[in-house]
Amino acid sequence: MSAPVGEHDAVPPVLSPGRFAGRSVLITGAVQGIGRAVADRVVREGGAVTVVDRADLIASVADELTAVSPESIRVTPVEADLETFGGARAAADAALTAHGRIDVLINNVGGTIWARPYHEYSADQIEAEVRRSLFPTLWMCRAVLPAMVDRGAGTIVNVSSVATRGVNRVPYAASKGGVNGLTSALALEAAPHGVRVVATAPGGTLAPQRRVSRGGDARTEQEKTWYSQIVDQTVESTALGRYGTLHEQASPICFLASDEASYITGSVLPVAGGDQG
């Protein structure tokens, strides 16, 4: 399902001006989707932002975000493959070089590549799904933690999914279950160092047509049927009976990333219209 292509051009319906003023915020997966919406909101709320993506479009996205910054704060783009620790470390180093510290990390990289029953996945496809939807979050948490621990402060917001209980995407579900486990376990380790670790679990979300394909687009009639089963199950599981919007996903992520959530850690917040996963 898709929303109007211009959704990223719209000002979020609710803003908290100055909420991220003086904060260095690193946002991954920022070229499109939830990551792009989060970056837009953080910039409008005064954050000094480093945006990361493996697509070279990230440079033009940074220019677009700089243009809407209320203080004309330059947004720092980083092109990196976060499926590797080297890429994650390069992203963290770039943020530290540009802003001197990382106050907030928001992990958005991930997403189902293929839609099919588990017995129809090849071994290579299973590994690719896990690399896409678990390792970028694992690596980025590891890359930023030393700087946060040294400062005795920081917040990590992971974007998980309610699809840990869903059809036709078992490897993705397992990856997001790993993100949930990472969130709760790391929160216990990090709390004594003044670092919070939280997550949201989005449900079905409307978004503009993807600027960069995940690579597993449904092509055959069978693949289209398997994908339709995901959509049908999502709508049936959602109490509100509809998909959410990008703004409805970005808003709780930014709340958890802010000082308004200073007494919340280790929690995974479903943002799915009543679908608990």
Side-chain angles (χ1 to χ4, degrees):
M1 303 179 74
S2 60
V5 172
E7 180 163 348
H8 285 311
D9 299 328
V11 177
V14 178
L15 281 172
S16 299
R19 177 162 58 171
F20 291 102
R23 296 298 181 88
S24 167
V25 184
L26 194 166
I27 302 167
T28 72
V31 158
Q32 57 198 351
I34 293 173
R36 176 67 171 78
V38 169
D40 184 79
R41 181 179 289 267
V42 172
V43 164
R44 292 179 188 272
E45 295 182 352
V49 173
T50 302
V51 287
V52 187
D53 204 284
R54 66 180 181 180
D56 58 10
L57 289 170
I58 194 64
S60 60
V61 167
D63 290 339
E64 294 165 6
L65 292 169
T66 297
V68 301
S69 169
E71 304 296 332
S72 297
I73 298 171
R74 182 67 190 174
V75 176
T76 303
V78 180
E79 184 180 341
D81 182 0
L82 302 183
E83 292 181 15
T84 70
F85 182 55
R89 187 162 49 188
D93 288 346
L96 291 169
T97 298
H99 306 294
R101 66 185 191 279
I102 300 170
D103 296 301
V104 179
L105 165 66
I106 301 176
N107 284 312
N108 286 282
V109 176
T112 305
I113 305 173
W114 294 278
R116 59 192 58 205
Y118 189 45
H119 66 273
E120 296 283 352
Y121 277 88
S122 69
D124 288 345
Q125 288 172 335
I126 292 168
E127 290 187 8
E129 293 277 10
V130 175
R131 286 196 304 271
R132 177 71 55 83
S133 291
L134 176 58
F135 273 92
T137 299
L138 276 171
W139 291 140
M140 282 306 309
C141 287
R142 175 61 182 82
V144 305
L145 267 173
M148 289 184 173
V149 168
D150 285 347
R151 289 187 62 243
T155 300
I156 296 172
V157 183
N158 298 322
V159 178
S160 182
S161 175
V162 295
T164 49
R165 181 178 179 272
V167 300
N168 294 351
R169 42 186 171 171
V170 167
Y172 173 74
S175 299
K176 290 303 189 179
V179 171
N180 293 347
L182 164 65
T183 299
S184 60
L186 185 56
L188 289 175
E189 286 190 12
H193 301 286
V195 177
R196 294 189 301 114
V197 186
V198 290
T200 65
T205 304
L206 295 165
Q209 185 174 351
R210 294 186 64 82
R211 301 173 76 174
V212 180
S213 171
R214 289 190 181 125
D217 301 327
R219 294 179 178 85
T220 69
E221 289 305 312
Q222 179 61 80
E223 288 171 332
K224 292 175 182 177
T225 297
W226 286 333
Y227 183 79
S228 294
Q229 289 170 350
I230 290 178
V231 175
D232 292 344
Q233 190 229 341
T234 299
V235 174
E236 291 169 3
S237 300
T238 303
L240 293 182
R242 64 174 177 86
Y243 272 37
T245 69
L246 292 176
H247 293 315
E248 288 174 322
Q249 296 298 341
S251 186
I253 289 169
C254 290
F255 162 70
L256 289 174
S258 74
D259 286 345
E260 297 169 46
S262 59
Y263 197 54
I264 302 174
T265 195
S267 298
V268 178
L269 173 66
V271 186
D275 184 357
Q276 300 298 308

